[in-house]
Amino acid sequence: MFNIPLFPTEASTTASRVDLLFFALMGIIVFFTALIFVGVIFFSIRYRQGSRASRKGATSENLKLELVWTIIPLCITMGIFAWASKLYFDMHVPPRDAMDIYVVGKQWMWYIQHPEGNREIDELHVPLGKPVRLILTSQDVIHDFFIPAFRVKQDVIPGRYTTEWFEATKVGEYHLFCAQYCGTGHAQMVGKVIVMQPWEYEQWLSGKSSTGATMSSSGEQLFTQFGCVTCHKSDNTGRGPSLIGLFGQKVKLQTGQTVVADMDYIRESILDPTAKVVATYQPVMPTFKNQIDQAQLMQLIEYVKSLGKQQTASKGK
Amino acid sequence: MEASESTDHVNYLNNGYGVKSWLLTTDHKRIAILYLISITIFFMIGGFFALVIRLTLLSPEGTLVSADTYNKMFTMHGITMIFFFLIPSIPAVFGNFLVPMMIGARDLAFPKINLLSWYVYIVGGMFTLTAMVMGGVDTGWTFYTPFSSGYSHTNVVPTVIGVFILGFSSILTGLNFIVTIHKMRAPGLTWFRLPLFIWAHYATSVIQILGTPVIAITLALVGFERIAGVGIFDPNIGGDPILFQHLFWFYSHPAVYIMVLPAMGVVSEVVTCFSRRKLFGYRQMAFASMAIAVFGFLVWGHHMFVSGQSVYAGMAFSALSFLVAIPSAVKVFNWTATLYKGTIRFQTPVLYAFGFIGLFTIGGLTGIVLATLPVDVHVHDTYFVIAHFHYIMVGGAVMGYMAALHFWWPKMTGKLYSEGWSKLAALILFVGFNLTFFPQFILGYLGMPRRYHIYPPEFQVLNVLSTAGASILGLGYIIPFFYLMWSLRKGKTAGDNPWNAKGLEWLTSSPPPTFNFEKTPIVNEEAYAYTDGVFEEDVAGG
Amino acid sequence: MANEHSSHYVAHQFDDLEQQKEAGTLGMWTFLATEILFFGGMFMAYFVYRFSYPDAFAAASHYMDILLGGINTGVLLVSSLTMALAVHAAQEGKRKQIILFLIITMVFGVTFLVIKGFEYHHKYVEHLVPGWNFEYKGPNAGKAEIYFILYFVMTGFHALHLIIGIGVLSVIAMMTARGNFTKEYYSPVEVSGLYWHFIDIVWIFLYPLLYLIHVHK
């Protein structure tokens, strides 16, 4: 009953690395705090008014000493900086084989879609020992997807995608918090991250949270439903460019610039189609801004992504 | 001997008693008193909000107030404490009172503008108070878009108008100090003979001049966005809510130095006086103040390490944030070295100064944790950050403010307060402060996010400790209020220089005459010309 | 004491006229530093969006009236000249000339505002006022809206500064008429001149950045 944790669980590959750095910092903090406290207390007792301690040779300048305590902290901080930057960089670049999970934050809940089609609210199921990349966006204000046990945190911003990755190392249930203040229900925008053994995860995927259709097949359905398919024909004869093999490739625009067809580009092209028009095509596509929600957008993107993988297969058609 | 007469001489306090003689005064000392009264009122209002916050957090279910009320409480606590108490605290009260006296001038360069700055402060305060009375505001003191511009249902517009107006009061104060320090120093008072209090205020003024207008225009844009229903931070039309954060922190990070630099100036004055020593490394200290002001403008991005800004931007801001720690560290070392072979008298101001040094050290070093990118990712927006900045702002800036209040109170009022009570209060404050905020470091690393009124039950014990500390801290602020008030009526007459301190402000009578000096002093020695390490004759001889 | 003739003008906190004058000038320069950062915030926002959405900004700037903007640029430049002449007259102690040039300067200021008013009215008629009646035909409507928000905010704050400037000059003109200034003491005229030139310079940046984007594309 009397459960007073003083240190958070380490449940991801990142967690132990972050904690190691944190302990190093704590060492430095304790050392310097002790140095100053002891210095102030010792000097003020030894040289208190009326004490007989010798005051001979007191100076108010000592260039060497001043340089020493400028340069030593400088070296220490730059050392930490190098260490920290390496780790920060690693925390930003997910391994290539990371699996994607899509997250939409809205006041005040987390809506999560797995590519396999499972959907959940305020809960995130992930397999143990497999890198997971979260693709995050917000439907309204800025939120933040924070899992203390994994030592990861990322703002979730309307109008763009951010990512966050981790690899869980310990089976269990962990806190999920919204860390960016987002209004009335901010403190209730919490949930659970459930780390499962891979086989349990497979079981869970086929369980009751399953919708029966994968995200990309839901996306394909939307592609037909919104009529995208009438222009974006797969054989490149439509009024819009074919989307086969598009994802991750460079696209030449009307203006002569090139952009990479990433998630943000596809998203922008659906919501604001005339912003970046592909060379040789006309800006005729209407916006789908008010017809499509964030979760559906992610399904469409997942579909376009799946078309990207088809590249070699579809060329033969 | 002279002391008994000093109550009879004409001074700034007894030079006119009418309401008009105060409200239309251009005397920097009277304006300082006006500010002192106003910021004390705002401090009490902000303290009340803090009380509600801490009481709510006693229980993990947050049953005391509703979610919306709690959100308003921490928002208004932040806005009042930062904009209406901390930023004007030392500069507008002690800076106003002391800058002209320390440099041997009769007044600030622009006395009318000085008075105007107080009225601007009051008008800004009225707008914000009105917003609070009308139902409050719940955006957090950071006003992040798009929540503030499109989603909050509270009084954002009157609040940002209030803060916008208030900004100009800060700018006018800074402008006055810069011109006064440049142009009105007494004969012989060269730049490197200036007390560090003056250097600190010069550095502070530079930040006020260059930073404040940016937050003014940023908040104006948020206000327009709310009124027009559309604006440049609106993601629906391609606007970038992160741009708001850049503009906001461009001011609001340096604003931390507006709070803490003047406190550092105070500590330099107090430590030298009570150790009877020249300040160790005077020039380095002066340069450190300026370095903090300059570097302070280059580190705003460390508030945005998890906002999705690029990895490389994060690294650059991190490196610069480490650099800004160096001059702060240098200052702490120099104060400690000043004590070495000094002759230390334990009187109340120096207790607060020691409190500052200790707590600022912890606050500063935990700032290093926040500059360390991967660790910041974990502790960002948690109670670790709350604890860190309260160590800087309460442990640092407010301790410095209390040191200043106790050091210059005899000069301002001509009265001495009770030494016993004041030492007791200093001790209570130190203990209460640490008990309040130290548990929050642990809470933060455990992952408790800030701005939560309900939280998982395992965080309760630490929260209860924190609330217990806060009640001790509150007591520590109430005691000084009483003994200082008491000293006004019954306190012993202070005499011109009760601490036997150096510095031009101690050459004139207490309270000082309206134009500060009978005749302009001429300076022919460096600052803090205490005879090193030698026990000096006591007050009576002086 | 400083010489009897000028001590009348020296405020109690200053030692002599020169100190007072230097303080006034430094005070205004410091204030202008604040002003630069005030507009700097807006310019920063402008550049961020201009570089993010170059095409939308260029297209939107087609709706600007280059001619009216150009005339206004000329008006302000000439007003800076007349302001300089007013300061010059103050140096020479020619009271009537000071007043004359101040009035001409203010007339130019008002002319600028009137022309600006016409421009604003055109935008209203063309349904280009964000948050009021914004209906933009053409691609990138949202981004164009950002351009127009920045246009109104930036030129609006500039116009506000101009109105304050006219107010300041009218006070200075009245003080001149009352005989407050002499050959030795005219620093308020000079200092308000600095402020006026600043307003002019801000416009020198605003004009190409807002009106001429599409010209050099």
Side-chain angles (χ1 to χ4, degrees):
Chain A
M1 178 62 214
F2 224 61
N3 169 24
I4 316 166
L6 293 175
F7 199 77
T9 329
E10 289 180 347
S12 77
T13 49
T14 312
S16 50
R17 294 181 70 188
V18 171
D19 287 347
L20 186 64
L21 182 53
F22 179 70
F23 288 132
L25 288 167
M26 279 300 130
I28 293 168
I29 290 178
V30 170
F31 175 77
F32 279 100
T33 308
L35 190 73
I36 297 299
F37 273 67
V38 169
V40 169
I41 293 169
F42 177 75
F43 289 155
S44 50
I45 291 173
R46 185 171 164 84
Y47 300 109
R48 69 189 181 277
Q49 187 179 39
S51 87
R52 299 230 190 102
S54 158
R55 266 80 164 179
K56 267 196 192 120
T59 57
S60 59
E61 243 159 274
N62 184 337
L63 187 64
K64 247 189 226 161
L65 200 56
E66 288 172 57
L67 280 177
V68 164
W69 64 44
T70 309
I71 290 170
I72 289 181
L74 185 68
C75 293
I76 295 175
T77 51
M78 287 304 109
I80 299 170
F81 170 69
W83 180 0
S85 295
K86 169 77 177 80
L87 179 53
Y88 184 65
F89 198 82
D90 292 346
M91 285 165 72
H92 260 265
V93 185
R96 281 181 171 276
D97 60 339
M99 56 186 264
D100 287 347
I101 295 177
Y102 292 83
V103 180
V104 178
K106 49 184 150 188
Q107 288 175 326
W108 293 277
M109 57 173 273
W110 297 106
Y111 183 78
I112 293 163
Q113 302 183 84
H114 296 249
E116 294 81 358
N118 301 56
R119 291 170 200 178
E120 45 187 340
I121 288 171
D122 291 342
E123 282 192 2
L124 170 65
H125 289 77
V126 291
L128 182 78
K130 197 161 175 1
V132 173
R133 179 173 73 148
L134 302 177
I135 295 159
L136 311 139
T137 194
S138 164
Q139 196 156 300
D140 35 53
V141 301
I142 302 177
H143 302 282
D144 188 295
F145 201 86
F146 175 33
I147 311 167
F150 294 172
R151 313 286 188 273
V152 292
K153 177 183 284 134
Q154 175 61 52
D155 276 3
V156 179
I157 300 161
R160 72 170 68 161
Y161 292 118
T162 51
T163 61
E164 158 178 4
W165 82 270
F166 54 82
E167 184 182 327
T169 54
K170 209 165 160 186
V171 171
E173 281 187 19
Y174 306 105
H175 286 301
L176 158 64
F177 293 128
C178 174
Q180 183 62 268
Y181 173 65
C182 57
T184 310
H186 171 54
Q188 277 129 309
M189 199 168 160
V190 297
K192 274 188 293 196
V193 177
I194 298 135
V195 179
M196 317 168 92
Q197 292 292 353
W199 65 86
E200 288 174 328
Y201 181 70
E202 291 302 323
Q203 270 178 353
W204 176 82
L205 280 178
S206 53
K208 65 174 190 287
S209 65
S210 170
T211 53
T214 63
M215 270 182 83
S216 71
S217 65
S218 302
E220 189 173 6
Q221 229 174 5
L222 291 170
F223 201 71
T224 320
Q225 186 190 325
F226 286 113
C228 316
V229 69
T230 51
C231 297
H232 295 284
K233 290 183 180 161
S234 55
D235 55 5
N236 238 341
T237 58
R239 288 197 292 167
S242 158
L243 304 183
I244 305 252
L246 168 76
F247 194 81
Q249 299 302 310
K250 280 186 182 154
V251 178
K252 202 158 178 352
L253 301 182
Q254 262 184 345
T255 53
Q257 292 158 304
T258 9
V259 293
V260 175
D262 55 9
M263 292 189 294
D264 280 310
Y265 170 74
I266 292 165
R267 172 206 165 88
E268 185 183 26
S269 300
I270 296 170
L271 299 180
D272 192 3
T274 47
K276 293 187 180 116
V277 181
V278 179
T280 74
Y281 289 90
Q282 292 305 309
V284 290
M285 178 171 159
T287 172
F288 290 85
K289 201 180 226 166
N290 300 319
Q291 305 171 36
I292 201 164
D293 68 25
Q294 296 299 332
Q296 290 175 322
L297 256 177
M298 287 175 153
Q299 292 162 11
L300 274 173
I301 287 172
E302 187 68 12
Y303 173 60
V304 174
K305 262 189 188 173
S306 73
L307 291 178
K309 287 175 196 147
Q310 279 179 21
Q311 192 169 18
T312 41
S314 62
K315 263 184 185 160
K317 277 186 188 171
Chain B
M1 323 134 249
E2 215 183 78
S4 54
E5 290 159 34
S6 69
T7 41
D8 304 318
H9 80 267
V10 176
N11 61 50
Y12 82 102
L13 288 172
N14 63 19
N15 184 9
Y17 291 99
V19 176
K20 250 176 140 182
S21 76
W22 280 92
L23 292 183
L24 296 177
T25 184
T26 54
D27 182 348
H28 65 103
K29 298 179 290 301
R30 286 196 161 201
I31 296 169
I33 300 294
L34 291 177
Y35 263 116
L36 177 65
I37 296 166
S38 347
I39 68 163
T40 306
I41 293 170
F42 276 102
F43 182 73
M44 290 181 198
I45 297 171
F48 167 76
F49 296 139
L51 176 75
V52 178
I53 293 171
R54 281 315 327 163
L55 286 179
T56 308
L57 292 176
L58 270 176
S59 125
E61 291 93 23
T63 39
L64 182 67
V65 292
S66 70
D68 280 327
T69 311
Y70 182 81
N71 292 345
K72 287 174 185 168
M73 287 297 146
F74 70 70
T75 301
M76 298 190 293
H77 170 69
I79 290 173
T80 355
M81 286 303 199
I82 289 171
F83 294 116
F84 292 93
F85 174 70
L86 281 167
I87 286 178
S89 63
I90 297 179
V93 178
F94 299 105
N96 245 332
F97 197 92
L98 294 164
V99 165
M101 283 208 272
M102 281 188 171
I103 65 172
R106 285 182 287 279
D107 204 323
L108 287 169
F110 309 114
K112 283 179 196 149
I113 289 181
N114 196 20
L115 179 65
L116 176 67
S117 96
W118 182 72
Y119 275 102
V120 171
Y121 172 87
I122 292 298
V123 172
M126 285 304 140
F127 266 95
T128 308
L129 280 180
T130 309
M132 289 175 182
V133 172
M134 275 161 47
V137 61
D138 74 343
T139 57
W141 79 277
T142 46
F143 298 106
Y144 270 19
T145 56
F147 181 73
S148 62
S149 53
Y151 290 85
S152 170
H153 301 294
T154 55
N155 304 303
V156 180
V157 173
T159 310
V160 296
I161 293 176
V163 177
F164 180 91
I165 294 173
L166 174 80
F168 289 94
S169 131
S170 185
I171 289 170
L172 294 177
T173 303
L175 187 149
N176 234 328
F177 287 172
I178 286 185
V179 175
T180 308
I181 296 169
H182 263 283
K183 295 293 175 198
M184 300 177 72
R185 299 189 309 276
L189 190 54
T190 58
W191 281 93
F192 286 110
R193 284 178 179 174
L194 288 173
L196 277 162
F197 184 86
I198 300 294
W199 275 101
H201 276 76
Y202 187 79
T204 305
S205 302
V206 170
I207 302 173
Q208 286 177 314
I209 290 297
L210 299 180
T212 319
V214 177
I215 195 166
I217 184 62
T218 310
L219 292 182
L221 286 165
V222 171
F224 288 143
E225 184 158 342
R226 256 190 105 78
I227 293 165
V230 67
I232 65 162
F233 304 123
D234 183 355
N236 285 322
I237 58 168
D240 186 358
I242 304 297
L243 176 65
F244 169 84
Q245 297 179 20
H246 280 290
L247 293 171
F248 178 82
W249 289 115
F250 180 81
Y251 165 76
S252 295
H253 186 77
V256 175
Y257 302 116
I258 296 181
M259 305 170 205
V260 87
L261 273 170
M264 290 170 158
V266 171
V267 171
S268 296
E269 302 299 312
V270 171
V271 164
T272 48
C273 173
F274 290 92
S275 63
R276 318 304 302 167
R277 281 269 273 138
K278 254 185 204 160
L279 191 72
F280 191 89
Y282 170 90
R283 275 181 188 241
Q284 209 192 6
M285 291 291 262
F287 288 132
S289 294
M290 295 312 291
I292 290 173
V294 172
F295 277 110
F297 272 111
L298 305 174
V299 300
W300 77 87
H302 68 214
H303 294 268
M304 301 164 61
F305 286 156
V306 299
S307 72
Q309 72 179 348
S310 90
V311 181
Y312 300 103
M315 287 179 191
F317 282 124
S318 165
L320 288 162
S321 305
F322 283 122
L323 286 183
V324 83
I326 306 296
S328 313
V330 162
K331 280 180 169 279
V332 172
F333 290 133
N334 281 347
W335 287 320
T336 312
T338 304
L339 298 175
Y340 178 64
K341 298 202 171 176
T343 303
I344 293 138
R345 289 185 296 177
F346 295 97
Q347 279 172 301
T348 314
V350 84
L351 295 187
Y352 280 110
F354 286 167
F356 175 98
I357 295 172
L359 300 178
F360 178 78
T361 302
I362 298 176
L365 286 166
T366 50
I368 296 279
V369 175
L370 298 177
T372 307
L373 289 155
V375 184
D376 180 72
V377 168
H378 177 56
V379 294
H380 186 88
D381 274 338
T382 67
Y383 266 83
F384 195 93
V385 176
I386 308 290
H388 155 72
F389 73 67
H390 280 93
Y391 266 81
I392 295 286
M393 293 178 193
V394 182
V398 180
M399 282 281 171
Y401 176 78
M402 295 302 279
L405 192 61
H406 287 86
F407 190 49
W408 284 293
W409 184 262
K411 177 55 59 182
M412 296 171 90
T413 64
K415 300 289 186 177
L416 290 174
Y417 47 82
S418 151
E419 198 49 34
W421 278 106
S422 59
K423 278 181 180 157
L424 179 70
L427 189 70
I428 292 177
L429 270 180
F430 188 80
V431 172
F433 174 82
N434 281 298
L435 187 56
T436 310
F437 292 105
F438 196 80
Q440 297 186 0
F441 280 123
I442 305 170
L443 274 175
Y445 205 77
L446 281 169
M448 178 165 166
R450 65 192 290 195
R451 297 171 173 178
Y452 267 37
H453 75 296
I454 50 175
Y455 53 85
E458 68 258 32
F459 298 152
Q460 188 177 8
V461 173
L462 289 166
N463 269 301
V464 170
L465 273 181
S466 180
T467 303
S471 52
I472 299 174
L473 186 61
L475 183 69
Y477 286 122
I478 291 170
I479 297 173
F481 183 80
F482 284 106
Y483 65 71
L484 290 176
M485 288 299 113
W486 177 87
S487 79
L488 286 182
R489 296 202 151 268
K490 307 233 168 136
K492 274 189 232 152
T493 306
D496 294 350
N497 191 355
W499 317 117
N500 203 5
K502 302 282 175 177
L504 297 183
E505 78 271 27
W506 301 105
L507 294 180
T508 185
S509 51
S510 309
T514 301
F515 292 145
N516 299 342
F517 300 98
E518 305 278 314
K519 64 176 201 248
T520 307
I522 292 168
V523 181
N524 47 26
E525 57 185 10
E526 295 189 344
Y528 316 115
Y530 298 101
T531 323
D532 276 358
V534 175
F535 192 178
E536 284 183 40
E537 65 277 31
D538 217 10
V539 191
Chain C
M1 276 268 117
N3 76 60
E4 279 304 311
H5 179 67
S6 60
S7 66
H8 163 63
Y9 303 105
V10 182
H12 70 85
Q13 70 272 28
F14 294 112
D15 295 335
D16 50 37
L17 256 184
E18 196 189 329
Q19 190 189 29
Q20 176 166 346
K21 189 182 160 186
E22 283 178 7
T25 311
L26 180 65
M28 182 47 83
W29 279 109
T30 315
F31 182 68
L32 293 185
T34 291
E35 289 279 32
I36 288 170
L37 267 292
F38 184 82
F39 280 95
M42 289 182 270
F43 278 111
M44 192 64 222
Y46 170 88
F47 283 115
V48 166
Y49 288 121
R50 165 107 185 250
F51 284 107
S52 304
Y53 312 129
D55 302 331
F57 268 47
S61 84
H62 272 288
Y63 291 87
M64 291 296 122
D65 193 325
I66 294 192
L67 181 66
L68 287 185
I71 293 173
N72 257 349
T73 311
V75 168
L76 273 196
L77 280 175
V78 178
S79 82
S80 255
L81 174 70
T82 55
M83 185 68 231
L85 289 172
V87 175
H88 184 72
Q91 278 165 353
E92 313 239 300
K94 295 175 180 160
R95 198 193 295 179
K96 274 188 188 154
Q97 268 196 27
I98 305 176
I99 297 173
L100 177 70
F101 282 122
L102 284 177
I103 289 174
I104 297 176
T105 310
M106 285 188 276
V107 168
F108 278 124
V110 171
T111 313
F112 178 94
L113 289 173
V114 170
I115 295 177
K116 198 78 228 154
F118 276 114
E119 279 190 77
Y120 282 171
H121 183 251
H122 290 170
K123 299 292 167 290
Y124 174 73
V125 172
E126 292 173 78
H127 294 275
L128 290 173
V129 187
W132 196 342
N133 63 0
F134 194 78
E135 287 166 37
Y136 185 82
K137 292 154 210 76
N140 295 322
K143 289 150 195 176
E145 193 165 5
I146 292 181
Y147 169 88
F148 279 103
I149 294 167
L150 285 169
Y151 166 77
F152 278 105
V153 170
M154 293 170 99
T155 56
F157 270 116
H158 176 260
L160 181 66
H161 278 78
L162 198 55
I163 292 168
I164 294 169
I166 293 170
V168 169
L169 291 196
S170 49
V171 171
I172 297 290
M174 272 190 290
M175 287 168 79
T176 317
R178 265 196 259 132
N180 287 13
F181 305 125
T182 62
K183 233 170 159 175
E184 286 77 33
Y185 176 65
Y186 57 89
S187 84
V189 184
E190 197 174 18
V191 164
S192 41
L194 279 175
Y195 181 71
W196 191 268
H197 294 315
F198 169 79
I199 301 170
D200 186 18
I201 288 168
V202 171
W203 181 257
I204 299 295
F205 281 94
L206 286 176
Y207 180 60
L209 288 177
L210 291 169
Y211 288 69
L212 306 179
I213 305 178
H214 61 282
V215 174
H216 69 91
K217 259 212 81 98

